[in-house]
Amino acid sequence: MKKLVSVMLAAVLLLTCTAALGEAQYTVGVIQLVKHEALDAATQGFIDALNAEMGEGVVKIDVQDAAGDSNTCATMANAFVSSEVDLIMANATPSLQAAAAATADIPILGTSVTEYGVALDIDGFTGTVGGNVSGTSDLAPLDQQADMLLTLFPDAKNVGLIYCAAEANSQYQVDTVKALLESKGVTATLYPFSDSNDVAAVTQIACDASDVIYVPTDNTVAANTGIVDNICQPAGVPVIAGEAGICRGCGVATLSISYYDLGVTTGKMAAKILKGEADISTMPIAYAENFTPQYNADICAALGVSVPENYVALQ
């Protein structure tokens, strides 16, 4: 009888250990501002890299979509803090801002964030946030984007810059590009909208007054490219986009990064933090290294726009 009991106890212990090994050891919460091509790619890259680095099943990844609402980002961040996740990945600036406001203890990695100093209101930002925040930046070479616009459209006199005023990093980009264009003698006008309800009206005003439209890496525009294209393309007004997803939807050309690769870098950073191999407070923001000039073949053909041979057609 004692031998039978011992065997049974051993079997129970083995089953318990096996079950424990099958359970996730860490939980990571992902707050994605809105579903669109660029942010979706960044989230997928993050998931793939984190699982590759940690092993399948070791990390439970809870992805939440805020449907473009900053208040929902805050609700999600507070829920992740309450459930004591091991790390939060904040995809896009409002997601990062919400997470940073919700906790000073849980590690937070941002991605698809253009300028962390602007997003987190840090004066004299030097590349490392400190505290419990780090991440990756999707900042493209804005000077080269401005040069691209002028190379493709050297006769442009009036450029309209449309963007969501609620996105701090969009404001940063258009302010920078406006100054660059004006230094070349081009009239550059800002056309902000407050949310997706104003995209059509503001785009129409900008289109009527502009030779070319510039759109930064703006999440609200990215989720509404069809609206922009339905106004600009029939009017014969070309759009230079800040990233490939927007360009695919309404642009003629872009100088863009790979958001999937950006997510992969973020996932590798997360793995180092979870393994205890890196201190997030000393991790500098990582930036994309490769930028590819790309063009939308269909819209270029429709508008009669020719691009240099080194441009790559968007698929």
PDB file of all heavy atoms in Angstrom, residues 179-215:
ATOM      1  N   ALA A 179       9.461  73.746 -42.021  1.00  0.00           N
ATOM      2  CA  ALA A 179      10.650  74.604 -41.969  1.00  0.00           C
ATOM      3  C   ALA A 179      11.628  74.244 -43.091  1.00  0.00           C
ATOM      4  O   ALA A 179      12.230  75.135 -43.715  1.00  0.00           O
ATOM      5  CB  ALA A 179      11.336  74.475 -40.614  1.00  0.00           C
ATOM      6  N   LEU A 180      11.786  72.959 -43.358  1.00  0.00           N
ATOM      7  CA  LEU A 180      12.699  72.520 -44.417  1.00  0.00           C
ATOM      8  C   LEU A 180      12.227  73.003 -45.790  1.00  0.00           C
ATOM      9  O   LEU A 180      13.023  73.486 -46.602  1.00  0.00           O
ATOM     10  CB  LEU A 180      12.804  70.991 -44.414  1.00  0.00           C
ATOM     11  CG  LEU A 180      13.555  70.367 -43.232  1.00  0.00           C
ATOM     12  CD1 LEU A 180      13.286  68.865 -43.159  1.00  0.00           C
ATOM     13  CD2 LEU A 180      15.058  70.628 -43.365  1.00  0.00           C
ATOM     14  N   LEU A 181      10.919  72.892 -46.048  1.00  0.00           N
ATOM     15  CA  LEU A 181      10.382  73.319 -47.335  1.00  0.00           C
ATOM     16  C   LEU A 181      10.467  74.835 -47.499  1.00  0.00           C
ATOM     17  O   LEU A 181      10.822  75.343 -48.571  1.00  0.00           O
ATOM     18  CB  LEU A 181       8.928  72.853 -47.471  1.00  0.00           C
ATOM     19  CG  LEU A 181       8.715  71.336 -47.594  1.00  0.00           C
ATOM     20  CD1 LEU A 181       7.228  71.009 -47.556  1.00  0.00           C
ATOM     21  CD2 LEU A 181       9.343  70.804 -48.881  1.00  0.00           C
ATOM     22  N   GLU A 182      10.156  75.552 -46.429  1.00  0.00           N
ATOM     23  CA  GLU A 182      10.193  77.018 -46.497  1.00  0.00           C
ATOM     24  C   GLU A 182      11.613  77.524 -46.704  1.00  0.00           C
ATOM     25  O   GLU A 182      11.812  78.576 -47.338  1.00  0.00           O
ATOM     26  CB  GLU A 182       9.569  77.609 -45.240  1.00  0.00           C
ATOM     27  CG  GLU A 182       8.052  77.405 -45.202  1.00  0.00           C
ATOM     28  CD  GLU A 182       7.403  77.971 -43.953  1.00  0.00           C
ATOM     29  OE1 GLU A 182       8.132  78.202 -42.945  1.00  0.00           O
ATOM     30  OE2 GLU A 182       6.185  78.185 -43.977  1.00  0.00           O
ATOM     31  N   SER A 183      12.600  76.767 -46.213  1.00  0.00           N
ATOM     32  CA  SER A 183      13.996  77.176 -46.433  1.00  0.00           C
ATOM     33  C   SER A 183      14.396  77.048 -47.903  1.00  0.00           C
ATOM     34  O   SER A 183      15.382  77.629 -48.345  1.00  0.00           O
ATOM     35  CB  SER A 183      14.939  76.322 -45.570  1.00  0.00           C
ATOM     36  OG  SER A 183      15.009  74.994 -46.049  1.00  0.00           O
ATOM     37  N   LYS A 184      13.588  76.267 -48.658  1.00  0.00           N
ATOM     38  CA  LYS A 184      13.830  76.102 -50.099  1.00  0.00           C
ATOM     39  C   LYS A 184      12.917  77.011 -50.925  1.00  0.00           C
ATOM     40  O   LYS A 184      12.838  76.857 -52.149  1.00  0.00           O
ATOM     41  CB  LYS A 184      13.593  74.643 -50.494  1.00  0.00           C
ATOM     42  CG  LYS A 184      14.439  73.626 -49.727  1.00  0.00           C
ATOM     43  CD  LYS A 184      15.904  73.707 -50.101  1.00  0.00           C
ATOM     44  CE  LYS A 184      16.739  72.686 -49.338  1.00  0.00           C
ATOM     45  NZ  LYS A 184      16.421  71.291 -49.636  1.00  0.00           N
ATOM     46  N   GLY A 185      12.217  77.932 -50.268  1.00  0.00           N
ATOM     47  CA  GLY A 185      11.378  78.878 -50.988  1.00  0.00           C
ATOM     48  C   GLY A 185       9.979  78.394 -51.309  1.00  0.00           C
ATOM     49  O   GLY A 185       9.259  79.024 -52.096  1.00  0.00           O
ATOM     50  N   VAL A 186       9.548  77.295 -50.704  1.00  0.00           N
ATOM     51  CA  VAL A 186       8.211  76.745 -50.946  1.00  0.00           C
ATOM     52  C   VAL A 186       7.260  77.216 -49.842  1.00  0.00           C
ATOM     53  O   VAL A 186       7.632  77.267 -48.670  1.00  0.00           O
ATOM     54  CB  VAL A 186       8.248  75.203 -50.968  1.00  0.00           C
ATOM     55  CG1 VAL A 186       6.843  74.619 -51.109  1.00  0.00           C
ATOM     56  CG2 VAL A 186       9.149  74.710 -52.089  1.00  0.00           C
ATOM     57  N   THR A 187       6.052  77.556 -50.199  1.00  0.00           N
ATOM     58  CA  THR A 187       5.040  77.903 -49.206  1.00  0.00           C
ATOM     59  C   THR A 187       4.453  76.609 -48.643  1.00  0.00           C
ATOM     60  O   THR A 187       3.890  75.793 -49.387  1.00  0.00           O
ATOM     61  CB  THR A 187       3.907  78.744 -49.828  1.00  0.00           C
ATOM     62  OG1 THR A 187       4.457  79.957 -50.330  1.00  0.00           O
ATOM     63  CG2 THR A 187       2.840  79.057 -48.791  1.00  0.00           C
ATOM     64  N   ALA A 188       4.607  76.405 -47.343  1.00  0.00           N
ATOM     65  CA  ALA A 188       4.123  75.186 -46.688  1.00  0.00           C
ATOM     66  C   ALA A 188       3.086  75.577 -45.645  1.00  0.00           C
ATOM     67  O   ALA A 188       3.359  76.387 -44.761  1.00  0.00           O
ATOM     68  CB  ALA A 188       5.281  74.434 -46.037  1.00  0.00           C
ATOM     69  N   THR A 189       1.912  74.963 -45.750  1.00  0.00           N
ATOM     70  CA  THR A 189       0.798  75.324 -44.867  1.00  0.00           C
ATOM     71  C   THR A 189       0.325  74.104 -44.088  1.00  0.00           C
ATOM     72  O   THR A 189       0.137  73.021 -44.663  1.00  0.00           O
ATOM     73  CB  THR A 189      -0.382  75.884 -45.686  1.00  0.00           C
ATOM     74  OG1 THR A 189       0.093  76.973 -46.483  1.00  0.00           O
ATOM     75  CG2 THR A 189      -1.494  76.359 -44.771  1.00  0.00           C
ATOM     76  N   LEU A 190       0.142  74.271 -42.780  1.00  0.00           N
ATOM     77  CA  LEU A 190      -0.342  73.181 -41.925  1.00  0.00           C
ATOM     78  C   LEU A 190      -1.860  73.109 -41.981  1.00  0.00           C
ATOM     79  O   LEU A 190      -2.554  74.118 -41.884  1.00  0.00           O
ATOM     80  CB  LEU A 190       0.111  73.394 -40.486  1.00  0.00           C
ATOM     81  CG  LEU A 190       1.629  73.503 -40.232  1.00  0.00           C
ATOM     82  CD1 LEU A 190       1.899  73.654 -38.745  1.00  0.00           C
ATOM     83  CD2 LEU A 190       2.364  72.290 -40.792  1.00  0.00           C
ATOM     84  N   TYR A 191      -2.370  71.878 -42.093  1.00  0.00           N
ATOM     85  CA  TYR A 191      -3.810  71.632 -42.095  1.00  0.00           C
ATOM     86  C   TYR A 191      -4.124  70.560 -41.059  1.00  0.00           C
ATOM     87  O   TYR A 191      -4.228  69.368 -41.377  1.00  0.00           O
ATOM     88  CB  TYR A 191      -4.277  71.189 -43.482  1.00  0.00           C
ATOM     89  CG  TYR A 191      -4.158  72.266 -44.534  1.00  0.00           C
ATOM     90  CD1 TYR A 191      -3.039  72.331 -45.365  1.00  0.00           C
ATOM     91  CD2 TYR A 191      -5.160  73.217 -44.695  1.00  0.00           C
ATOM     92  CE1 TYR A 191      -2.922  73.324 -46.328  1.00  0.00           C
ATOM     93  CE2 TYR A 191      -5.054  74.220 -45.656  1.00  0.00           C
ATOM     94  CZ  TYR A 191      -3.936  74.267 -46.465  1.00  0.00           C
ATOM     95  OH  TYR A 191      -3.825  75.259 -47.420  1.00  0.00           O
ATOM     96  N   PRO A 192      -4.282  70.965 -39.794  1.00  0.00           N
ATOM     97  CA  PRO A 192      -4.554  69.978 -38.743  1.00  0.00           C
ATOM     98  C   PRO A 192      -6.036  69.605 -38.675  1.00  0.00           C
ATOM     99  O   PRO A 192      -6.904  70.411 -39.002  1.00  0.00           O
ATOM    100  CB  PRO A 192      -4.130  70.724 -37.468  1.00  0.00           C
ATOM    101  CG  PRO A 192      -4.384  72.172 -37.794  1.00  0.00           C
ATOM    102  CD  PRO A 192      -4.098  72.322 -39.255  1.00  0.00           C
ATOM    103  N   PHE A 193      -6.303  68.380 -38.258  1.00  0.00           N
ATOM    104  CA  PHE A 193      -7.671  67.971 -37.944  1.00  0.00           C
ATOM    105  C   PHE A 193      -7.661  67.362 -36.546  1.00  0.00           C
ATOM    106  O   PHE A 193      -6.612  66.919 -36.059  1.00  0.00           O
ATOM    107  CB  PHE A 193      -8.217  66.986 -38.981  1.00  0.00           C
ATOM    108  CG  PHE A 193      -7.335  65.795 -39.241  1.00  0.00           C
ATOM    109  CD1 PHE A 193      -7.362  64.688 -38.414  1.00  0.00           C
ATOM    110  CD2 PHE A 193      -6.471  65.790 -40.329  1.00  0.00           C
ATOM    111  CE1 PHE A 193      -6.542  63.600 -38.655  1.00  0.00           C
ATOM    112  CE2 PHE A 193      -5.642  64.701 -40.580  1.00  0.00           C
ATOM    113  CZ  PHE A 193      -5.685  63.600 -39.742  1.00  0.00           C
ATOM    114  N   SER A 194      -8.807  67.355 -35.893  1.00  0.00           N
ATOM    115  CA  SER A 194      -8.867  66.908 -34.500  1.00  0.00           C
ATOM    116  C   SER A 194      -9.019  65.403 -34.362  1.00  0.00           C
ATOM    117  O   SER A 194      -8.485  64.794 -33.435  1.00  0.00           O
ATOM    118  CB  SER A 194     -10.006  67.615 -33.760  1.00  0.00           C
ATOM    119  OG  SER A 194     -11.237  67.382 -34.423  1.00  0.00           O
ATOM    120  N   ASP A 195      -9.770  64.771 -35.271  1.00  0.00           N
ATOM    121  CA  ASP A 195      -9.954  63.318 -35.226  1.00  0.00           C
ATOM    122  C   ASP A 195     -10.427  62.848 -36.596  1.00  0.00           C
ATOM    123  O   ASP A 195     -10.494  63.629 -37.549  1.00  0.00           O
ATOM    124  CB  ASP A 195     -10.942  62.910 -34.134  1.00  0.00           C
ATOM    125  CG  ASP A 195     -12.286  63.606 -34.244  1.00  0.00           C
ATOM    126  OD1 ASP A 195     -12.760  63.795 -35.384  1.00  0.00           O
ATOM    127  OD2 ASP A 195     -12.863  63.970 -33.207  1.00  0.00           O
ATOM    128  N   SER A 196     -10.770  61.570 -36.705  1.00  0.00           N
ATOM    129  CA  SER A 196     -11.132  60.993 -37.998  1.00  0.00           C
ATOM    130  C   SER A 196     -12.368  61.632 -38.616  1.00  0.00           C
ATOM    131  O   SER A 196     -12.544  61.593 -39.838  1.00  0.00           O
ATOM    132  CB  SER A 196     -11.350  59.481 -37.856  1.00  0.00           C
ATOM    133  OG  SER A 196     -12.359  59.202 -36.907  1.00  0.00           O
ATOM    134  N   ASN A 197     -13.203  62.243 -37.795  1.00  0.00           N
ATOM    135  CA  ASN A 197     -14.415  62.881 -38.327  1.00  0.00           C
ATOM    136  C   ASN A 197     -14.099  64.102 -39.194  1.00  0.00           C
ATOM    137  O   ASN A 197     -14.929  64.513 -40.011  1.00  0.00           O
ATOM    138  CB  ASN A 197     -15.337  63.301 -37.182  1.00  0.00           C
ATOM    139  CG  ASN A 197     -15.861  62.113 -36.398  1.00  0.00           C
ATOM    140  OD1 ASN A 197     -16.194  61.084 -36.979  1.00  0.00           O
ATOM    141  ND2 ASN A 197     -15.927  62.244 -35.084  1.00  0.00           N
ATOM    142  N   ASP A 198     -12.910  64.685 -38.993  1.00  0.00           N
ATOM    143  CA  ASP A 198     -12.539  65.904 -39.726  1.00  0.00           C
ATOM    144  C   ASP A 198     -11.612  65.661 -40.904  1.00  0.00           C
ATOM    145  O   ASP A 198     -11.245  66.603 -41.614  1.00  0.00           O
ATOM    146  CB  ASP A 198     -11.847  66.899 -38.771  1.00  0.00           C
ATOM    147  CG  ASP A 198     -12.737  67.319 -37.615  1.00  0.00           C
ATOM    148  OD1 ASP A 198     -13.958  67.357 -37.815  1.00  0.00           O
ATOM    149  OD2 ASP A 198     -12.205  67.585 -36.528  1.00  0.00           O
ATOM    150  N   VAL A 199     -11.202  64.396 -41.102  1.00  0.00           N
ATOM    151  CA  VAL A 199     -10.205  64.103 -42.134  1.00  0.00           C
ATOM    152  C   VAL A 199     -10.664  64.579 -43.511  1.00  0.00           C
ATOM    153  O   VAL A 199      -9.924  65.254 -44.234  1.00  0.00           O
ATOM    154  CB  VAL A 199      -9.873  62.598 -42.170  1.00  0.00           C
ATOM    155  CG1 VAL A 199      -8.982  62.284 -43.375  1.00  0.00           C
ATOM    156  CG2 VAL A 199      -9.179  62.173 -40.887  1.00  0.00           C
ATOM    157  N   ALA A 200     -11.887  64.250 -43.893  1.00  0.00           N
ATOM    158  CA  ALA A 200     -12.370  64.587 -45.238  1.00  0.00           C
ATOM    159  C   ALA A 200     -12.423  66.094 -45.464  1.00  0.00           C
ATOM    160  O   ALA A 200     -11.938  66.597 -46.482  1.00  0.00           O
ATOM    161  CB  ALA A 200     -13.742  63.964 -45.480  1.00  0.00           C
ATOM    162  N   ALA A 201     -12.989  66.814 -44.516  1.00  0.00           N
ATOM    163  CA  ALA A 201     -13.152  68.257 -44.678  1.00  0.00           C
ATOM    164  C   ALA A 201     -11.804  68.962 -44.766  1.00  0.00           C
ATOM    165  O   ALA A 201     -11.586  69.832 -45.631  1.00  0.00           O
ATOM    166  CB  ALA A 201     -13.982  68.827 -43.530  1.00  0.00           C
ATOM    167  N   VAL A 202     -10.884  68.588 -43.886  1.00  0.00           N
ATOM    168  CA  VAL A 202      -9.567  69.236 -43.871  1.00  0.00           C
ATOM    169  C   VAL A 202      -8.765  68.864 -45.114  1.00  0.00           C
ATOM    170  O   VAL A 202      -8.091  69.710 -45.721  1.00  0.00           O
ATOM    171  CB  VAL A 202      -8.801  68.864 -42.585  1.00  0.00           C
ATOM    172  CG1 VAL A 202      -7.359  69.368 -42.653  1.00  0.00           C
ATOM    173  CG2 VAL A 202      -9.503  69.440 -41.363  1.00  0.00           C
ATOM    174  N   THR A 203      -8.845  67.603 -45.517  1.00  0.00           N
ATOM    175  CA  THR A 203      -8.137  67.171 -46.718  1.00  0.00           C
ATOM    176  C   THR A 203      -8.641  67.934 -47.946  1.00  0.00           C
ATOM    177  O   THR A 203      -7.845  68.332 -48.811  1.00  0.00           O
ATOM    178  CB  THR A 203      -8.289  65.655 -46.935  1.00  0.00           C
ATOM    179  OG1 THR A 203      -7.744  64.961 -45.813  1.00  0.00           O
ATOM    180  CG2 THR A 203      -7.564  65.206 -48.198  1.00  0.00           C
ATOM    181  N   GLN A 204      -9.933  68.155 -48.038  1.00  0.00           N
ATOM    182  CA  GLN A 204     -10.495  68.886 -49.170  1.00  0.00           C
ATOM    183  C   GLN A 204      -9.972  70.316 -49.215  1.00  0.00           C
ATOM    184  O   GLN A 204      -9.592  70.823 -50.278  1.00  0.00           O
ATOM    185  CB  GLN A 204     -12.021  68.901 -49.090  1.00  0.00           C
ATOM    186  CG  GLN A 204     -12.704  69.508 -50.309  1.00  0.00           C
ATOM    187  CD  GLN A 204     -12.456  68.695 -51.565  1.00  0.00           C
ATOM    188  OE1 GLN A 204     -12.899  67.565 -51.676  1.00  0.00           O
ATOM    189  NE2 GLN A 204     -11.732  69.289 -52.527  1.00  0.00           N
ATOM    190  N   ILE A 205      -9.922  70.972 -48.059  1.00  0.00           N
ATOM    191  CA  ILE A 205      -9.404  72.341 -47.989  1.00  0.00           C
ATOM    192  C   ILE A 205      -7.941  72.380 -48.411  1.00  0.00           C
ATOM    193  O   ILE A 205      -7.524  73.238 -49.200  1.00  0.00           O
ATOM    194  CB  ILE A 205      -9.568  72.905 -46.558  1.00  0.00           C
ATOM    195  CG1 ILE A 205     -11.059  73.066 -46.215  1.00  0.00           C
ATOM    196  CG2 ILE A 205      -8.849  74.252 -46.423  1.00  0.00           C
ATOM    197  CD1 ILE A 205     -11.317  73.387 -44.758  1.00  0.00           C
ATOM    198  N   ALA A 206      -7.148  71.426 -47.895  1.00  0.00           N
ATOM    199  CA  ALA A 206      -5.727  71.370 -48.229  1.00  0.00           C
ATOM    200  C   ALA A 206      -5.531  71.082 -49.712  1.00  0.00           C
ATOM    201  O   ALA A 206      -4.672  71.687 -50.376  1.00  0.00           O
ATOM    202  CB  ALA A 206      -5.035  70.304 -47.390  1.00  0.00           C
ATOM    203  N   CYS A 207      -6.317  70.167 -50.230  1.00  0.00           N
ATOM    204  CA  CYS A 207      -6.208  69.775 -51.634  1.00  0.00           C
ATOM    205  C   CYS A 207      -6.507  70.953 -52.561  1.00  0.00           C
ATOM    206  O   CYS A 207      -5.803  71.170 -53.562  1.00  0.00           O
ATOM    207  CB  CYS A 207      -7.168  68.619 -51.898  1.00  0.00           C
ATOM    208  SG  CYS A 207      -6.982  67.851 -53.505  1.00  0.00           S
ATOM    209  N   ASP A 208      -7.520  71.723 -52.225  1.00  0.00           N
ATOM    210  CA  ASP A 208      -7.911  72.869 -53.061  1.00  0.00           C
ATOM    211  C   ASP A 208      -6.826  73.937 -53.121  1.00  0.00           C
ATOM    212  O   ASP A 208      -6.745  74.694 -54.101  1.00  0.00           O
ATOM    213  CB  ASP A 208      -9.206  73.494 -52.526  1.00  0.00           C
ATOM    214  CG  ASP A 208     -10.412  72.587 -52.718  1.00  0.00           C
ATOM    215  OD1 ASP A 208     -10.338  71.660 -53.541  1.00  0.00           O
ATOM    216  OD2 ASP A 208     -11.437  72.806 -52.029  1.00  0.00           O
ATOM    217  N   ALA A 209      -5.980  74.012 -52.088  1.00  0.00           N
ATOM    218  CA  ALA A 209      -4.999  75.093 -51.999  1.00  0.00           C
ATOM    219  C   ALA A 209      -3.564  74.650 -52.273  1.00  0.00           C
ATOM    220  O   ALA A 209      -2.642  75.473 -52.209  1.00  0.00           O
ATOM    221  CB  ALA A 209      -5.065  75.725 -50.606  1.00  0.00           C
ATOM    222  N   SER A 210      -3.360  73.359 -52.577  1.00  0.00           N
ATOM    223  CA  SER A 210      -1.989  72.836 -52.640  1.00  0.00           C
ATOM    224  C   SER A 210      -1.652  72.184 -53.969  1.00  0.00           C
ATOM    225  O   SER A 210      -2.514  71.617 -54.647  1.00  0.00           O
ATOM    226  CB  SER A 210      -1.781  71.802 -51.519  1.00  0.00           C
ATOM    227  OG  SER A 210      -2.121  72.330 -50.251  1.00  0.00           O
ATOM    228  N   ASP A 211      -0.363  72.247 -54.316  1.00  0.00           N
ATOM    229  CA  ASP A 211       0.156  71.523 -55.480  1.00  0.00           C
ATOM    230  C   ASP A 211       0.508  70.086 -55.107  1.00  0.00           C
ATOM    231  O   ASP A 211       0.409  69.168 -55.929  1.00  0.00           O
ATOM    232  CB  ASP A 211       1.407  72.218 -56.026  1.00  0.00           C
ATOM    233  CG  ASP A 211       1.145  73.671 -56.401  1.00  0.00           C
ATOM    234  OD1 ASP A 211       0.126  73.926 -57.070  1.00  0.00           O
ATOM    235  OD2 ASP A 211       1.949  74.534 -56.001  1.00  0.00           O
ATOM    236  N   VAL A 212       0.975  69.917 -53.872  1.00  0.00           N
ATOM    237  CA  VAL A 212       1.365  68.610 -53.344  1.00  0.00           C
ATOM    238  C   VAL A 212       0.936  68.553 -51.877  1.00  0.00           C
ATOM    239  O   VAL A 212       0.944  69.579 -51.181  1.00  0.00           O
ATOM    240  CB  VAL A 212       2.902  68.386 -53.432  1.00  0.00           C
ATOM    241  CG1 VAL A 212       3.279  66.995 -52.930  1.00  0.00           C
ATOM    242  CG2 VAL A 212       3.395  68.588 -54.850  1.00  0.00           C
ATOM    243  N   ILE A 213       0.584  67.350 -51.422  1.00  0.00           N
ATOM    244  CA  ILE A 213       0.246  67.129 -50.003  1.00  0.00           C
ATOM    245  C   ILE A 213       1.340  66.287 -49.366  1.00  0.00           C
ATOM    246  O   ILE A 213       1.845  65.337 -49.975  1.00  0.00           O
ATOM    247  CB  ILE A 213      -1.112  66.399 -49.855  1.00  0.00           C
ATOM    248  CG1 ILE A 213      -2.260  67.246 -50.407  1.00  0.00           C
ATOM    249  CG2 ILE A 213      -1.364  66.012 -48.397  1.00  0.00           C
ATOM    250  CD1 ILE A 213      -2.569  68.491 -49.611  1.00  0.00           C
ATOM    251  N   TYR A 214       1.705  66.637 -48.130  1.00  0.00           N
ATOM    252  CA  TYR A 214       2.624  65.816 -47.339  1.00  0.00           C
ATOM    253  C   TYR A 214       1.880  65.294 -46.113  1.00  0.00           C
ATOM    254  O   TYR A 214       1.188  66.051 -45.436  1.00  0.00           O
ATOM    255  CB  TYR A 214       3.854  66.616 -46.894  1.00  0.00           C
ATOM    256  CG  TYR A 214       4.737  65.846 -45.927  1.00  0.00           C
ATOM    257  CD1 TYR A 214       5.651  64.912 -46.393  1.00  0.00           C
ATOM    258  CD2 TYR A 214       4.628  66.036 -44.550  1.00  0.00           C
ATOM    259  CE1 TYR A 214       6.452  64.184 -45.512  1.00  0.00           C
ATOM    260  CE2 TYR A 214       5.422  65.312 -43.665  1.00  0.00           C
ATOM    261  CZ  TYR A 214       6.326  64.387 -44.143  1.00  0.00           C
ATOM    262  OH  TYR A 214       7.097  63.669 -43.285  1.00  0.00           O
ATOM    263  N   VAL A 215       2.046  63.994 -45.842  1.00  0.00           N
ATOM    264  CA  VAL A 215       1.443  63.375 -44.663  1.00  0.00           C
ATOM    265  C   VAL A 215       2.539  62.695 -43.851  1.00  0.00           C
ATOM    266  O   VAL A 215       3.286  61.867 -44.393  1.00  0.00           O
ATOM    267  CB  VAL A 215       0.385  62.327 -45.057  1.00  0.00           C
ATOM    268  CG1 VAL A 215      -0.239  61.721 -43.803  1.00  0.00           C
ATOM    269  CG2 VAL A 215      -0.698  62.936 -45.931  1.00  0.00           C
TER     270      VAL A 215
END
